[in-house]
Amino acid sequence: MPLVRIDAMGCDAQRLKALGRAVQEALGEAMGFPADDRFQILTGHDGERGVLRHGTYLGVQRDDGIVYVAITLRGGRPAAQKRVLYRRIAELAQEYAGTEPRNVFVVLTENTDADWSLGNGEAQYLD
């Protein structure tokens, strides 16, 4: 069960929805998550009340079309599977939301079963 946070500049509700769809489909294709395992926080930033900073780190020329995708999930997936996920998110973000792949910044944060409560104050993965 991943928790996805997407932050994007100059983004209306329709584009945020498209980005969420892109990430959800990529997670399903690359890592086998079911379609109804969707927990997403989608935030658009207008440059005044919310700003996203970016640089040209490692030679990638990003601009104000930047989209940050932060995915928290239980650990254990191989690097090859993560590479497929990154590529697929960039492809689908371009297809669904018109986001250039160079502007898709993805970070995965892994944790353990004990780090999740899916409601009711319980640790469902430990029970």
Side-chain angles (χ1 to χ4, degrees), residues 46-57:
D46 63 8
E48 292 180 23
R49 290 176 287 143
V51 177
L52 300 179
R53 302 279 187 225
H54 54 83
T56 307
Y57 185 65

Side-chain angles (χ1 to χ4, degrees), residues 73-77 82 109-113 116:
L73 69 168
R74 293 182 289 164
R77 289 164 184 85
K82 294 174 185 180
T109 303
E110 296 181 317
N111 58 27
T112 68
D113 291 350
W116 294 88

Side-chain angles (χ1 to χ4, degrees), residues 6 13-23 42 92-93 96-98:
I6 299 172
Q14 184 177 353
R15 183 165 175 244
L16 281 172
K17 183 177 178 180
L19 290 166
R21 177 180 168 210
V23 172
L42 309 174
L92 292 175
Y96 296 159

Side-chain angles (χ1 to χ4, degrees), residues 6 12 14 24 34 45 68 73 110 120 123:
I6 299 172
D12 62 15
Q14 184 177 353
Q24 184 67 23
H45 299 269
Y68 289 107
L73 69 168
E110 296 181 317
N120 294 324

Side-chain angles (χ1 to χ4, degrees), residues 41-118:
I41 303 163
L42 309 174
T43 307
H45 299 269
D46 63 8
E48 292 180 23
R49 290 176 287 143
V51 177
L52 300 179
R53 302 279 187 225
H54 54 83
T56 307
Y57 185 65
L58 295 178
V60 180
Q61 298 291 322
R62 296 169 201 86
D63 60 31
D64 284 343
I66 189 78
V67 173
Y68 289 107
V69 179
I71 303 171
T72 304
L73 69 168
R74 293 182 289 164
R77 289 164 184 85
Q81 194 175 40
K82 294 174 185 180
R83 286 179 184 259
V84 170
L85 176 66
Y86 303 146
R87 171 81 52 206
R88 197 64 182 134
I89 289 172
E91 291 169 351
L92 292 175
Q94 183 173 33
E95 181 179 339
Y96 296 159
T99 302
E100 294 182 47
R102 66 187 174 86
N103 278 324
V104 179
F105 185 107
V106 181
V107 62
L108 298 181
T109 303
E110 296 181 317
N111 58 27
T112 68
D113 291 350
D115 297 312
W116 294 88
S117 173
L118 309 178

Side-chain angles (χ1 to χ4, degrees), residues 20-35:
R21 177 180 168 210
V23 172
Q24 184 67 23
E25 285 186 23
L27 282 164
E29 291 175 20
M31 296 187 167
F33 287 105

